[in-house]
């Protein structure tokens, strides 16, 4: 398999410092959402092209292909290599959708480099999230996400609060290292994300910054508890039951930078509720009722926001094809230009060849004439022959 180490090196060189190797990447909350949004359409339960499914840790691990993911070696892992191919390469993934964002590619690279772990241990009952032994720590400090530096002084949640949240069936982990900030996920048991259990999250309202409710059957009443979690910066609601009415409870989450609404019933009306979230940078609305115009209006309302409608959205697909068509036309024009230049060069070469041949003939005739005896000598020679 051909390697593209140089491309990987360039990607690594321009990646933000927030992806430093000492911050462990969580498969469930960071890698799976990327795969779910960009890869599952072709590699999920409905299609599973090449029998590969990327919709869960179990499916990925069940795929018997030694080179798909080589733990600790991203440059030998096909999953990563397919993401860093040149844009015009036929094997670039996602297929026909262009390359992923550099930050997402770097997360996948880093996850593989760290060992491609699929596990995410829940914090033991009765123990606070920050009790991981210092000897096991890779991080040298308790830094927090770049846009939440002011949260570095947040105190740890009580051991009792973490115990109660864990008892609901949620996975509770430190955001990284010894940080008091928490990531909470119901992804392994979406059914546990009930209104009562979500209300339990308010016992760690200041500490919870990442929340995964992917696949949960949450409604407006259930999400009301989220309004009491002011420090959330990343929220996963993909494939959940949220709709426009439920989204209104997110309007006060002013630290939100990432929101995944893929596969929900949210429409343009729901986007109005989050138009005031000025820190929002990534919004995924693939396979929703959100229109292209609605998405672009939101991007205009929130400078720096990128709204991902999915590669198969009609308008996105049209624009992609138009872009590819423009590129193809440019290539065709360049090819025609080169062909014309080649034809002209061939014509010039033919003319030059004819001129050279003509000149060669002329020179040969001149040389032959110089070598022949003068006419009078030929006549004298002829007379002598006659006398004989």
């Amino acid at each position: 398999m051909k390697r593209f180490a140089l491309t990987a090196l360039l990607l690594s060189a321009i990646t933000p410092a927030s992806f430093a190797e000492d911050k462990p990447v969580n498969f469930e909350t960071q890698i799976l959402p990327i795969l779910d949004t960009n890869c599952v359409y072709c590699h999920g339960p409905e299609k599973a092209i090449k029998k590969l499914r990327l919709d869960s840790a179990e499916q990925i691990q069940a795929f018997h292909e030694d080179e798909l993911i080589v733990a600790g070696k991203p440059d030998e892992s096909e999953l990563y290599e397919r993401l860093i191919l040149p844009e015009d390469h036929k094997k670039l993934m996602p297929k026909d959708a262009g390359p992923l964002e550099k930050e997402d590619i770097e997360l996948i690279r880093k996850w593989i480099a760290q060992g491609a772990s699929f596990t995410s241990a829940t914090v033991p009952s009765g123990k606070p999230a920050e009790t991981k032994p210092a000897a096991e720590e890779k991080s040298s400090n308790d830094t927090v996400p770049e846009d939440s530096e002011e949260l570095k002084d947040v105190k740890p949640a009580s051991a009792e609060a973490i115990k109660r949240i864990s008892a609901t069936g949620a996975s509770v982990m430190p955001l990284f290292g010894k940080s008091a900030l928490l990531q909470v996920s119901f992804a392994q048991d979406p059914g546990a994300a009930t209104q009562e259990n979500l209300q339990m999250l308010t016992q760690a309202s200041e500490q919870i910054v990442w929340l995964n409710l992917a696949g949960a059957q949450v409604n407006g009443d259930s999400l009301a508890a989220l309004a009491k979690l002011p420090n959330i910066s990343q929220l996963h609601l993909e494939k959940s039951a949220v709709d426009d009415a439920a989204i209104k409870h997110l309007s006060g989450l002013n630290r939100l930078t990432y929101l995944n609404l893929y596969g929900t019933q949210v429409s343009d009306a729901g986007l109005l509720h989050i138009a005031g979230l000025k820190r929002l940078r990534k919004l995924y609305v693939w396979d929703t009722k959100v229109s292209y115009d609605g998405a672009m209006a939101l991007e205009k309302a929130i400078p720096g926001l990128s709204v991902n409608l999915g590669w198969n959205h009609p308008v996105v697909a049209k624009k992609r094809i138009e872009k590819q068509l423009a590129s193809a036309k440019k290539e065709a024009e360049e090819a025609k230009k080169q062909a014309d230049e080649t034809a002209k060069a061939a014509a010039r070469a033919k003319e030059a060849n004819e001129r050279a041949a003509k000149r060669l003939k002329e020179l040969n005739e001149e040389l032959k004439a110089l070598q022949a005896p003068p006419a009078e000598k030929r006549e004298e020679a002829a007379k002598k022959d006659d006398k004989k």
Side-chain angles (χ1 to χ4, degrees), residues 164-233:
R164 289 171 181 169
I165 295 173
S166 298
T168 66
S171 167
V172 184
M173 296 178 63
L175 184 59
F176 51 81
K178 294 182 179 181
S179 175
L181 304 182
L182 302 175
Q183 50 181 311
V184 177
S185 175
F186 287 87
Q188 294 299 323
D189 185 10
T194 63
Q195 181 176 349
E196 180 181 0
N197 287 343
L198 291 183
Q199 186 63 36
M200 194 73 68
L201 301 180
T202 61
Q203 296 188 25
S205 60
E206 292 186 1
Q207 291 80 15
I208 297 176
V209 292
W210 287 8
L211 179 60
N212 191 337
L213 297 175
Q217 297 303 303
V218 289
N219 53 31
D221 293 336
S222 300
L223 286 190
L226 270 58
K228 300 177 182 179
L229 307 179
N231 292 331
I232 287 183
S233 64

Side-chain angles (χ1 to χ4, degrees), residues 234-250:
Q234 185 170 132
L235 179 59
H236 292 269
L237 291 169
E238 58 266 31
K239 295 185 179 180
S240 69
V242 298
D243 53 17
D244 294 337
I247 294 299
K248 68 181 181 181
H249 295 293
L250 309 183

Side-chain angles (χ1 to χ4, degrees), residues 12 74 92 108 142 232 272 359:
S12 300
L92 174 67
I108 292 175
D142 292 334
I232 287 183
L272 297 177
R359 180 59 176 159

Side-chain angles (χ1 to χ4, degrees), residues 116-131:
S117 174
F118 293 93
T119 60
S120 56
T122 302
V123 177
S125 297
K127 294 184 179 180
E130 73 282 4
T131 57

Side-chain angles (χ1 to χ4, degrees), residues 326-342:
S327 178
K329 286 182 177 179
K330 185 176 180 180
E331 289 179 3
E333 291 172 356
E334 290 293 330
K336 184 178 183 303
K337 182 179 179 180
Q338 291 178 4
D340 291 342
E341 291 177 351
T342 301

